[in-house]
Amino acid sequence: MDFNDTPQEAEYRAKARAWLEDNAAEYREPPETAWKLDEFIQRSKAWQAKKFAAGYTGITWPKAFGGQGLGPMQSIIYGQEESRFHAPSGLYSIGLGMCIPTVFTHGSAEIAERYVPKALVGDEVWCQLFSEPSAGSDLAGIRTRAVQDGDEWVIDGQKVWTSFAHASDYGIVVTRTDPSVPKHKGLTMFIVDMKAPGVEVRGIKQMSGGSDFNEVFFTGVRVKDTHRLGDVGNGWKVALTTLMHERLAVGGKPRHAPGYETLMKLARGVEAPVGGPAIEAGDVRQRIAQSYINDQGIKLTQMRALSALSRGQMPGPEQSISKVVVAKTMQEMASFALDLAGGDGFVTGADGDPELAKLQGSYLGAAGLRIAGGTDEILRNIIAERVLGLPGDLRPDKDKPFNAAA
Amino acid sequence: MDFNDTPQEAEYRAKARAWLEDNAAEYREPPETAWKLDEFIQRSKAWQAKKFAAGYTGITWPKAFGGQGLGPMQSIIYGQEESRFHAPSGLYSIGLGMCIPTVFTHGSAEIAERYVPKALVGDEVWCQLFSEPSAGSDLAGIRTRAVQDGDEWVIDGQKVWTSFAHASDYGIVVTRTDPSVPKHKGLTMFIVDMKAPGVEVRGIKQMSGGSDFNEVFFTGVRVKDTHRLGDVGNGWKVALTTLMHERLAVGGKPRHAPGYETLMKLARGVEAPVGGPAIEAGDVRQRIAQSYINDQGIKLTQMRALSALSRGQMPGPEQSISKVVVAKTMQEMASFALDLAGGDGFVTGADGDPELAKLQGSYLGAAGLRIAGGTDEILRNIIAERVLGLPGDLRPDKDKPFNAAA
Amino acid sequence: MNFDFSDDAKALGEQAKKLFADKAGTAPARKAMASGAPDFDAGLWAEIANLGWTAARVPEAHGGLGMSAEESCQLAEAAGAALAVVPLVSTLLATEALLIAGTEAQQAKYFPGIADGSLIAVPAWNEPGAVTPATVATTASGHTLTGSKAPVPDLPGAHLAIVAAAGPDGPSLWIVDLNDALVEPVETLDLVRRHGRLTLANTPAEPLGDPAAYQAWLDRAAVILAYEAIGTASAAMDMTVEYAKTRIAFGQTIGRYQGVKHKCADMFIKIELARAHALHGVAMIGSDGAELRQAAAAARVASLDALSFTAEETVQLHGGIGFTWESDCQFYYRRARALTASLAARGWWADRLVRALELRNRAAA
Amino acid sequence: MNFDFSDDAKALGEQAKKLFADKAGTAPARKAMASGAPDFDAGLWAEIANLGWTAARVPEAHGGLGMSAEESCQLAEAAGAALAVVPLVSTLLATEALLIAGTEAQQAKYFPGIADGSLIAVPAWNEPGAVTPATVATTASGHTLTGSKAPVPDLPGAHLAIVAAAGPDGPSLWIVDLNDALVEPVETLDLVRRHGRLTLANTPAEPLGDPAAYQAWLDRAAVILAYEAIGTASAAMDMTVEYAKTRIAFGQTIGRYQGVKHKCADMFIKIELARAHALHGVAMIGSDGAELRQAAAAARVASLDALSFTAEETVQLHGGIGFTWESDCQFYYRRARALTASLAARGWWADRLVRALELRNRAAA
């Protein structure tokens, strides 16, 4: 048992690492001030084109769609190596990770030919338009309507929590095309042109101060029937395949989020509530141990999953615990650490300590992470139902026509 | 603001205390070895008769039923004073606390006249027959049937968790008299003679080793219609009034259960996981603080309720938190304390330490206390629904005929 | 048994809740969050002073109403629930210090201004680098102080500070006229309540009459702040319960799910435990009771636990919308950090509680 | 990336699970609980020896199969899941001590008997009055030991004990032939597994070859016991999940209620976290890795947390029936205490984990 690459994996890693050393040198250090949106998009496009040329995009996709036809381990290895740099690759993660696989799985050959190559090379950016204000955890409860008009559909409604909507050229959108049938059955998925008339994008400011998401309003937006993904009324199943791609993206601790090491470092520098260095106090040590167990436990759990992939097997259900542990651990650890730091842990801005600012960011961000991509409650339901086989909650609306349910 | 009696309360307390000093002297110390059942019953009856003669039974009951017609504070004050002794009063707590109030509220005048006085003086012992193997949290799901036969009813079925069934002369029993209507509507309550043919009592041994409860089997037990309590089909409402009396009995920490003081004492004598005396370790101190907050918090919460009673008001909803806090705190504290005690905390019997034995008993008993009289889950539901006004769980069986529900 | 607020105190609390329901709450808090907004709501402050709330705890001899700590706690709870953008709780805390430790002359000098609202007083114990109220580096030399105090709640806009400085037997309390000192705003996680840094450089100051009063003041401050935290936590719980009654997911209101309703029940449980200890604290202040130290510490710990749990799960149970800037959830989430910073975090108070229990045990032995 | 058990180890685990499914489980555990029942299931033990499980970890040179710690862990997990009434885990722990610290002569003397099942060996570190493995009062004088060891799992019926005694540089390990010592049964909270007291009064003993091996043995023992705890916790979870699928209350199976299902999910989460660390521990044993100390401590803490939570909520989710003597819930509830006592509670191991992290930091600095 070891944490080593297989010879093939090691070879791929060495190649990728060498290429990155040569080509990502300018991203070795984080930018001193964050890039503005324009520069971010420009750099993202340039970086994506470079990766495409070198064969580091669509690593697991079929060659027919411009992919490399390699296994998930190669994709993960490239990702690990790239993450040693600060290259701008986030702009494409949803488009290439979720949207385009849906497009080439459920779209016609013509549609795939039109959209996949340009997405892969990075010329066109994609976003995913699923959630709505009244349909968060209950995604199938969406209300955005699409009404057929000849060989076109007319879309009206509002989407929310859309990443990079303002920078996107196209999106995949779930709509309700038949409100007279039960809610899972009346949905249809389309490709929508984000520059089309009637599409309006507004940023959402988060509690933490950032604006990583958007609201998108559709007013009489017209989409050709050729841009439908899957059958009319089959949108729920199409959306599930999209989301399956999301779930496969193993979600560990956000890259720069403080972990148990941060708490240890802080505890070496401050006094304990009981007096003496905090690092020597029993309660602080117990908390460090718990943070290690959660942080490192998730890392090791991910290695279990990677080992399965490396062996050509499907990862076990254990990786489903990742986000629910990570988000709550971040919140608990940050709260405890800020407590330890006294008044300084509360001061922000120019007067604040940069290390403590990371913990403050983590405390604010964790509140969002506990919700985004499935709340703690939904994730526990999923573990209980899909892993342990417990029955689902009662759903009084399940078989009722959508427009007759509460 | 103070914790003092009003002058009237102080007078009542002084009188009760003086009477107890004179009459309960033999119960000043706990018995060296626990009384056997026979002796317990004999002593209980003698003690109850003494209390009756002195006017310390049915303190809050109307004088018409042999009570004293006093307020709840008098009843509580007498209980506080009696609890300084080790008098055997538990045999009557369910009968006089729950059964007989139901009898005189819902029974005919003849029935009340027949049963109330003998119960009050202690000649006849009562038990309550509600729970069943398949109806614990969901009490209205009981299956014990009563079928009318002329002016009698014939009862068949099984009850469980009945305290003192083996020592009881009579019981109140909830039965299903109409399985064709929704479950809350087909119930009827009766008085049953526990010595009647067809009544069989078996002890239940608990996980903790004790046998405080019984199963009671009914096979063709005949009850006269005159012994019905409330209308046919109205048993659910009758049962609710019985249970209301249970809820009024403010449930704090069991009398001799270890609390934060126990943990402090233990922590002064053992080494901490981090070395040094445990009482000086940060994690141990945090746990002591938490135990104090929960133990003492519930005590103080009860004092808030008593203050309301003393002022002639209804206690607020805060007392509903009592059992759920007490039981979990007992379990957590005992587990932590046994951890601290090392291997000695695991040894029982003749080789065990008597102080640690109390913690072991508390750890085992707390598992039962978290269930008895409403599980943690049911109690949280009750707080959420009755105090906070949140809606009830969906109940798919609510309006279905009992015999058609799952 | 008379373990409850007096009818008078309750009536004042009701009056405060009513006024704040009209004039405070999350909408004014959002306005206060805007940059350039005034330090506090001067109109509301004038109204408060007019109603005699700042005078409530001031002795009658000095122009006040001579009421008890019960009234201060009722006001703190109402202010906490409404996130009221006024320096009321700070002034109540400073009042408590003057009351227990001020000389007759000091009381005569400052209480009339506090009573009529013209003098805003705040306590200042926190220092950069200090993690507990036990660590005070500010030094006294003659009748001057030197050191730095931050973050100090409600400092911008205040006139007087009750400052902790190192003394021979632990920290002691001094009065500083803020006209004589440098006050600068400090940004904090709480975007509504203003905080500041007080820089003392041989700044004129006068010691309170009783130098040992710091510890007693901490106890009283803990009780009053426990009520502020209870008020804030209760408001967050109420908002969450209301949301859970109306928000629908999977065909039913989310309040029907035990995952949601059990968390709401836990909020209630934690808040009621905090109330029990806080009430114990008020009772001990009222009776100069020997259990004040332990009651105050327990109230502090229990109220912070209730507030942080409630604030965190308030965001959580609101789901995505709860994490937006537009949602009111953030006020509670951020205020939980403010109230923690305002008088040291739970760990120090839990240790103080156990020390109090140990002392009592030793005394009993 | 190859972070998983070998196929061989998994196959052995499957074999063990299969045998225990037939021959062990809660029904035999209930029989073992009866007073007068034998110390362990001799028939099952013979079968185990016959299948080579006790030989698995013994070097080939000494009549064993020379397998890795992976096999020991698979066996421990299966035994833990089945509550198997055999001294298998104790013998595996003793085997590990002989393996890492026994001299060639000691190995040659004892391993063949361990391998063929005729020699039951148990570790004995616990002492009355000791709260952690760091406190050992048993003294050595020449080749004799004096002291008392209790509670020692599986001691009644064992032939050999690996005993911790105080040494100049901390505790060290000794071999005691139990024919030379006084062994008495000791009652414990676990009514299934037998425990004993070992009284040593100038009892003949021989030191293991490497006196410093005690700490290394603790690490390995922690990993093996983590798998036993994971096995027990998983069995309790499985039983609870099955119950939640069938028990009906308020017209639906209780597994539909989030109050129930979220607790089951939490059991799974805690067990999987424990598995991750325990697997890290096995990997470090296999590679003599520098991270063994931290991995073992983390595995110990995480597995005890998983087991105590799962055992407590197993009773809880079974409701009233779960608290009866007739229910199988009590086996898990009581075994959780047994596995805690078997190698010190979580607090000590959490501290040991942080010490390991500090050492690594210092080494890296």
Side-chain angles (χ1 to χ4, degrees):
Chain A
M1 205 186 315
D2 58 55
F3 296 107
N4 303 332
D5 288 330
T6 64
Q8 293 85 338
E9 288 164 7
E11 193 190 326
Y12 188 82
R13 187 185 297 279
K15 217 185 70 186
R17 185 174 295 190
W19 181 80
L20 282 158
E21 295 286 345
D22 290 346
N23 291 277
E26 65 181 305
Y27 300 118
R28 190 169 298 286
E29 299 298 328
E32 285 193 14
T33 55
W35 297 313
K36 290 218 159 57
L37 182 62
D38 280 355
E39 186 181 2
F40 172 71
I41 291 172
Q42 192 192 325
R43 281 177 174 271
S44 297
K45 293 199 169 187
W47 177 240
Q48 183 70 13
K50 233 182 202 180
K51 280 164 72 172
F52 176 80
Y56 290 117
T57 55
I59 293 173
T60 60
W61 293 7
K63 292 194 175 177
F65 296 119
Q68 302 295 322
L70 298 173
M73 277 311 290
Q74 278 71 27
S75 181
I76 286 161
I77 287 169
Y78 176 78
Q80 289 172 337
E81 294 302 320
E82 195 190 75
S83 77
R84 298 157 164 266
F85 296 82
H86 301 268
S89 54
L91 182 64
Y92 296 99
S93 63
I94 285 171
L96 299 181
M98 300 173 69
C99 302
I100 299 298
T102 307
V103 168
F104 66 63
T105 308
H106 296 283
S108 65
E110 294 74 31
I111 286 291
E113 200 166 321
R114 158 64 189 86
Y115 290 108
V116 177
K118 291 206 169 177
L120 200 56
V121 72
D123 278 357
E124 290 172 355
V125 178
W126 285 66
C127 64
Q128 175 205 306
L129 300 140
F130 284 16
S131 296
E132 297 186 5
S134 62
S137 295
D138 180 12
L139 185 60
I142 59 142
R143 295 171 181 277
T144 292
R145 279 185 315 145
V147 176
Q148 193 156 18
D149 179 22
D151 64 350
E152 291 190 337
W153 295 78
V154 182
I155 301 178
D156 286 275
Q158 182 193 351
K159 294 289 176 179
V160 78
W161 304 120
T162 312
S163 302
F164 296 118
H166 48 287
S168 289
D169 300 287
Y170 297 96
I172 59 174
V173 60
V174 193
T175 64
R176 183 162 308 278
T177 45
D178 185 354
S180 72
V181 296
K183 65 181 187 176
H184 293 83
K185 297 189 176 160
L187 305 178
T188 306
M189 176 99 79
F190 297 96
I191 294 172
V192 63
D193 180 350
M194 293 295 288
K195 314 292 186 202
V199 177
E200 188 195 347
V201 175
R202 291 185 208 156
I204 301 174
K205 190 169 174 188
Q206 293 141 236
M207 187 178 96
S208 52
S211 275
D212 302 335
F213 304 99
N214 303 279
E215 296 175 293
V216 180
F217 296 83
F218 294 93
T219 313
V221 177
R222 301 189 80 87
V223 172
K224 285 209 183 335
D225 189 56
T226 53
H227 283 57
R228 180 163 40 76
L229 295 172
D231 291 340
V232 174
N234 208 32
W236 180 245
K237 285 191 184 152
V238 176
L240 283 187
T241 64
T242 310
L243 292 173
M244 211 154 58
H245 290 282
E246 183 180 34
R247 297 256 150 77
L248 275 180
V250 183
K253 187 155 70 72
R255 213 168 132 199
H256 301 294
Y260 72 93
E261 306 93 333
T262 316
L263 180 56
M264 285 184 79
K265 195 175 160 197
L266 177 70
R268 280 194 291 272
V270 301
E271 204 187 340
V274 296
I279 188 80
E280 289 173 19
D283 52 329
V284 178
R285 294 176 79 79
Q286 298 290 328
R287 184 67 69 134
I288 292 168
Q290 195 59 58
S291 293
Y292 172 87
I293 284 169
N294 295 357
D295 288 354
Q296 186 71 5
I298 291 304
K299 255 195 200 163
L300 292 163
T301 299
Q302 289 170 342
M303 290 183 187
R304 291 176 67 194
L306 292 186
S307 297
L309 289 175
S310 178
R311 290 178 178 189
Q313 301 156 352
M314 275 299 289
E318 65 274 4
Q319 62 165 329
S320 61
I321 72 172
S322 181
K323 203 204 73 154
V324 69
V325 172
V326 161
K328 189 79 186 102
T329 302
M330 272 175 64
Q331 192 175 43
E332 284 174 351
M333 195 283 273
S335 166
F336 184 81
L338 291 176
D339 273 12
L340 269 190
D344 294 348
F346 177 58
V347 174
T348 58
D351 295 297
D353 175 286
E355 288 296 311
L356 295 175
K358 282 185 206 161
L359 286 162
Q360 293 165 345
S362 193
Y363 188 65
L364 292 174
L369 194 61
R370 286 182 62 198
I371 296 165
T375 63
D376 288 2
E377 289 74 20
I378 291 291
L379 294 178
R380 282 195 167 77
N381 264 13
I382 288 174
I383 291 171
E385 294 169 19
R386 299 203 198 148
V387 178
L388 303 178
L390 286 166
D393 297 340
L394 278 187
R395 303 235 169 131
D397 62 341
K398 208 175 170 189
D399 302 317
K400 282 189 201 162
F402 181 74
N403 54 14
Chain B
M1 206 185 316
D2 57 56
F3 296 107
N4 303 333
D5 289 330
T6 64
Q8 292 86 338
E9 289 164 5
E11 191 190 327
Y12 188 82
R13 188 185 299 279
K15 217 185 69 183
R17 186 174 294 189
W19 182 81
L20 282 159
E21 295 285 348
D22 291 344
N23 290 277
E26 65 181 305
Y27 300 118
R28 190 169 298 285
E29 298 299 327
E32 286 192 14
T33 55
W35 296 313
K36 290 217 159 58
L37 182 62
D38 281 354
E39 187 182 1
F40 173 71
I41 292 172
Q42 194 193 324
R43 282 178 174 270
S44 297
K45 292 199 169 187
W47 178 240
Q48 183 69 13
K50 231 182 203 180
K51 280 163 70 173
F52 176 80
Y56 290 117
T57 55
I59 294 172
T60 60
W61 293 6
K63 292 194 174 177
F65 296 118
Q68 301 296 321
L70 297 174
M73 276 313 290
Q74 279 70 28
S75 181
I76 286 161
I77 287 169
Y78 177 78
Q80 288 172 338
E81 293 301 320
E82 196 190 74
S83 78
R84 299 158 164 265
F85 296 82
H86 300 269
S89 54
L91 182 63
Y92 296 99
S93 62
I94 286 171
L96 299 183
M98 301 172 70
C99 301
I100 299 299
T102 308
V103 168
F104 66 65
T105 308
H106 296 284
S108 65
E110 295 74 31
I111 287 290
E113 198 166 323
R114 158 64 189 86
Y115 290 109
V116 176
K118 291 206 168 178
L120 201 56
V121 72
D123 277 357
E124 291 172 353
V125 179
W126 285 67
C127 64
Q128 174 204 309
L129 301 140
F130 283 17
S131 295
E132 297 186 6
S134 61
S137 295
D138 180 12
L139 185 59
I142 60 140
R143 295 169 182 281
T144 292
R145 278 184 318 144
V147 176
Q148 192 154 19
D149 179 21
D151 65 349
E152 292 190 336
W153 295 77
V154 182
I155 301 178
D156 285 277
Q158 182 193 350
K159 295 289 176 178
V160 77
W161 305 120
T162 312
S163 301
F164 296 119
H166 48 286
S168 288
D169 300 288
Y170 297 96
I172 58 174
V173 59
V174 192
T175 64
R176 183 163 308 279
T177 45
D178 184 355
S180 72
V181 295
K183 65 181 187 178
H184 292 85
K185 298 189 176 161
L187 306 178
T188 307
M189 177 98 78
F190 296 96
I191 295 172
V192 63
D193 179 351
M194 293 297 287
K195 314 293 185 200
V199 177
E200 189 194 346
V201 176
R202 292 184 207 157
I204 300 173
K205 191 170 175 188
Q206 295 142 235
M207 186 178 97
S208 52
S211 276
D212 302 334
F213 303 100
N214 303 277
E215 296 176 293
V216 180
F217 296 83
F218 293 94
T219 314
V221 177
R222 301 189 79 87
V223 172
K224 288 213 182 333
D225 189 55
T226 52
H227 283 59
R228 180 162 41 76
L229 295 172
D231 291 340
V232 173
N234 208 32
W236 180 246
K237 285 193 185 152
V238 177
L240 284 187
T241 65
T242 310
L243 293 173
M244 212 154 59
H245 289 282
E246 185 180 33
R247 298 254 151 76
L248 274 180
V250 183
K253 188 154 70 69
R255 210 167 132 200
H256 301 294
Y260 73 94
E261 305 94 333
T262 317
L263 180 56
M264 284 184 80
K265 193 174 161 197
L266 176 71
R268 280 194 290 271
V270 300
E271 204 187 341
V274 296
I279 189 80
E280 290 172 17
D283 53 331
V284 178
R285 293 176 79 79
Q286 299 290 326
R287 186 67 69 131
I288 292 169
Q290 194 60 58
S291 293
Y292 172 86
I293 284 169
N294 294 358
D295 288 354
Q296 187 71 6
I298 292 303
K299 254 195 202 162
L300 293 163
T301 299
Q302 289 170 342
M303 290 184 189
R304 289 176 68 194
L306 292 186
S307 298
L309 289 176
S310 177
R311 291 180 179 189
Q313 300 156 351
M314 275 298 288
E318 64 274 3
Q319 63 164 328
S320 62
I321 72 172
S322 179
K323 204 202 71 152
V324 70
V325 172
V326 161
K328 189 76 186 105
T329 303
M330 272 175 64
Q331 192 175 44
E332 283 174 352
M333 196 282 275
S335 167
F336 185 81
L338 292 175
D339 273 12
L340 269 190
D344 294 347
F346 176 58
V347 174
T348 59
D351 295 297
D353 175 285
E355 288 295 312
L356 295 175
K358 281 185 208 161
L359 285 162
Q360 293 165 345
S362 192
Y363 187 65
L364 292 173
L369 194 62
R370 285 182 61 199
I371 296 165
T375 63
D376 288 1
E377 289 74 20
I378 291 291
L379 295 178
R380 281 195 168 76
N381 265 12
I382 288 174
I383 292 171
E385 294 168 18
R386 299 202 200 149
V387 179
L388 302 178
L390 286 165
D393 297 341
L394 278 187
R395 304 234 168 132
D397 62 342
K398 209 174 169 188
D399 301 317
K400 281 188 203 165
F402 182 74
N403 55 13
Chain C
M1 189 69 59
N2 182 27
F3 182 53
D4 195 0
F5 284 98
S6 69
D7 288 342
D8 281 355
K10 284 183 186 172
L12 182 66
E14 285 309 312
Q15 186 196 41
K17 271 175 214 147
K18 201 151 166 292
L19 178 71
F20 287 145
D22 289 347
K23 303 283 173 70
T26 53
R30 189 167 291 279
K31 278 186 202 144
M33 191 162 68
S35 74
D39 297 326
F40 60 89
D41 182 338
L44 182 57
W45 183 250
E47 216 163 330
I48 283 171
N50 222 18
L51 287 166
W53 299 356
T54 51
R57 186 65 169 137
V58 170
E60 293 179 58
H62 300 298
L65 302 171
M67 295 175 117
S68 74
E70 291 186 27
E71 277 76 10
S72 295
C73 290
Q74 286 282 339
L75 291 171
E77 182 179 342
L83 304 164
V85 191
V86 284
L88 179 59
V89 176
S90 292
T91 294
L92 291 172
L93 296 178
T95 300
E96 211 64 28
L98 274 172
L99 198 61
I100 59 172
T103 61
E104 184 61 32
Q106 287 165 343
Q107 294 190 351
K109 185 168 171 194
Y110 299 114
F111 267 151
I114 288 177
D116 70 18
S118 62
L119 195 154
I120 294 170
V122 302
W125 66 269
N126 223 343
E127 299 187 359
V131 296
T132 78
T135 326
V136 172
T138 293
T139 54
S141 170
H143 274 205
T144 68
L145 297 180
T146 298
S148 176
K149 295 283 170 185
V152 179
D154 296 322
L155 184 69
H159 309 101
L160 196 77
I162 306 292
V163 173
D169 304 311
S172 60
L173 294 172
W174 297 64
I175 302 174
V176 171
D177 184 332
L178 292 173
N179 287 317
D180 301 332
L182 178 62
V183 168
E184 295 159 296
V186 162
E187 286 180 48
T188 70
L189 281 172
D190 190 328
L191 304 173
V192 174
R193 177 170 290 169
R194 296 297 192 272
H195 288 71
R197 179 178 40 243
L198 173 61
T199 304
L200 303 160
N202 292 314
T203 304
E206 50 175 318
L208 283 187
D210 175 6
Y214 184 60
Q215 296 300 333
W217 174 76
L218 284 175
D219 292 335
R220 287 165 180 243
V223 175
I224 294 170
L225 284 167
Y227 274 101
E228 185 182 12
I230 287 167
T232 306
S234 299
M237 176 179 77
D238 291 347
M239 183 174 89
T240 304
V241 167
E242 278 315 303
Y243 185 74
K245 285 179 188 169
T246 52
R247 171 78 179 180
I248 288 173
F250 304 109
Q252 52 181 322
T253 51
I254 62 171
R256 282 197 194 275
Y257 294 103
Q258 292 186 350
V260 172
K261 69 164 63 164
H262 289 183
K263 274 190 177 158
C264 292
D266 283 336
M267 291 178 184
F268 180 79
I269 289 169
K270 286 173 194 285
I271 290 170
E272 290 306 314
L273 280 174
R275 278 189 195 282
H277 291 290
L279 192 63
H280 191 201
V282 200
M284 289 299 111
I285 293 176
S287 64
D288 262 326
E291 291 182 352
L292 174 57
R293 180 67 40 96
Q294 79 195 53
R300 175 78 181 154
V301 175
S303 65
L304 288 179
D305 285 349
L307 177 56
S308 62
F309 176 81
T310 304
E312 289 171 4
E313 299 310 322
T314 288
V315 181
Q316 180 66 18
L317 296 185
H318 277 74
I321 193 78
F323 191 62
T324 61
W325 190 262
E326 299 312 317
S327 161
D328 288 340
C329 294
Q330 68 159 310
F331 294 126
Y332 304 105
Y333 199 76
R334 293 171 176 277
R335 181 58 55 89
R337 297 306 320 163
L339 292 186
T340 297
S342 68
L343 202 67
R346 76 180 299 291
W348 187 78
W349 286 97
D351 183 64
R352 185 174 170 100
L353 166 57
V354 179
R355 269 185 288 144
L357 296 176
E358 286 176 296
L359 270 176
R360 209 193 48 184
N361 277 339
R362 239 169 274 152
Chain D
M1 188 67 58
N2 183 27
F3 182 52
D4 194 2
F5 284 98
S6 69
D7 289 342
D8 281 357
K10 284 183 185 172
L12 182 65
E14 285 308 312
Q15 187 195 43
K17 269 174 216 152
K18 203 153 164 289
L19 180 71
F20 287 146
D22 289 347
K23 304 283 173 71
T26 54
R30 189 166 291 278
K31 278 185 201 143
M33 192 163 67
S35 74
D39 297 327
F40 60 89
D41 182 339
L44 182 57
W45 183 250
E47 217 164 329
I48 283 171
N50 222 20
L51 288 166
W53 299 355
T54 51
R57 184 67 167 136
V58 170
E60 293 179 57
H62 301 297
L65 302 171
M67 295 172 117
S68 74
E70 292 185 26
E71 277 76 10
S72 295
C73 289
Q74 286 282 339
L75 291 171
E77 181 179 344
L83 305 163
V85 191
V86 285
L88 180 59
V89 176
S90 292
T91 294
L92 292 171
L93 296 178
T95 301
E96 211 64 28
L98 275 172
L99 198 63
I100 58 171
T103 62
E104 183 60 32
Q106 287 165 343
Q107 295 190 350
K109 186 170 170 191
Y110 299 113
F111 268 150
I114 287 177
D116 70 18
S118 62
L119 196 152
I120 292 169
V122 302
W125 66 269
N126 222 344
E127 299 187 357
V131 297
T132 77
T135 326
V136 172
T138 293
T139 55
S141 169
H143 275 203
T144 68
L145 296 181
T146 298
S148 175
K149 295 284 172 184
V152 179
D154 296 323
L155 184 70
H159 309 101
L160 197 77
I162 306 293
V163 172
D169 304 312
S172 61
L173 294 172
W174 297 64
I175 304 174
V176 171
D177 184 332
L178 292 173
N179 287 316
D180 301 333
L182 177 63
V183 168
E184 295 160 295
V186 162
E187 286 179 49
T188 70
L189 282 172
D190 190 327
L191 304 172
V192 174
R193 176 170 291 167
R194 296 297 192 273
H195 288 72
R197 178 176 42 242
L198 173 60
T199 304
L200 303 160
N202 292 314
T203 304
E206 49 175 319
L208 285 185
D210 175 5
Y214 183 61
Q215 296 300 332
W217 174 77
L218 284 176
D219 292 335
R220 287 165 179 242
V223 174
I224 294 170
L225 284 168
Y227 275 101
E228 185 182 12
I230 286 166
T232 306
S234 299
M237 175 179 77
D238 291 347
M239 184 175 89
T240 304
V241 167
E242 279 315 303
Y243 186 74
K245 285 179 188 169
T246 53
R247 171 77 180 181
I248 288 173
F250 304 108
Q252 53 180 321
T253 51
I254 62 170
R256 282 197 195 275
Y257 294 103
Q258 292 186 351
V260 172
K261 67 165 62 168
H262 288 182
K263 275 191 178 158
C264 292
D266 283 336
M267 293 179 184
F268 179 80
I269 289 168
K270 286 173 193 287
I271 290 171
E272 290 306 313
L273 280 175
R275 279 189 194 284
H277 291 289
L279 192 64
H280 191 201
V282 200
M284 289 300 111
I285 293 175
S287 62
D288 263 325
E291 292 181 350
L292 175 56
R293 180 68 39 96
Q294 79 196 54
R300 175 79 181 152
V301 174
S303 65
L304 289 179
D305 285 348
L307 177 55
S308 62
F309 176 81
T310 305
E312 289 170 4
E313 299 309 322
T314 287
V315 180
Q316 180 67 17
L317 296 185
H318 278 73
I321 192 78
F323 191 62
T324 62
W325 190 261
E326 301 311 318
S327 161
D328 288 341
C329 294
Q330 68 160 308
F331 294 126
Y332 304 105
Y333 198 76
R334 293 171 175 278
R335 183 56 57 86
R337 296 306 319 165
L339 292 186
T340 297
S342 68
L343 202 68
R346 74 181 301 290
W348 188 77
W349 286 96
D351 184 63
R352 185 175 170 98
L353 166 57
V354 179
R355 269 185 289 145
L357 296 176
E358 287 176 296
L359 269 176
R360 208 193 49 184
N361 276 341
R362 240 167 273 152

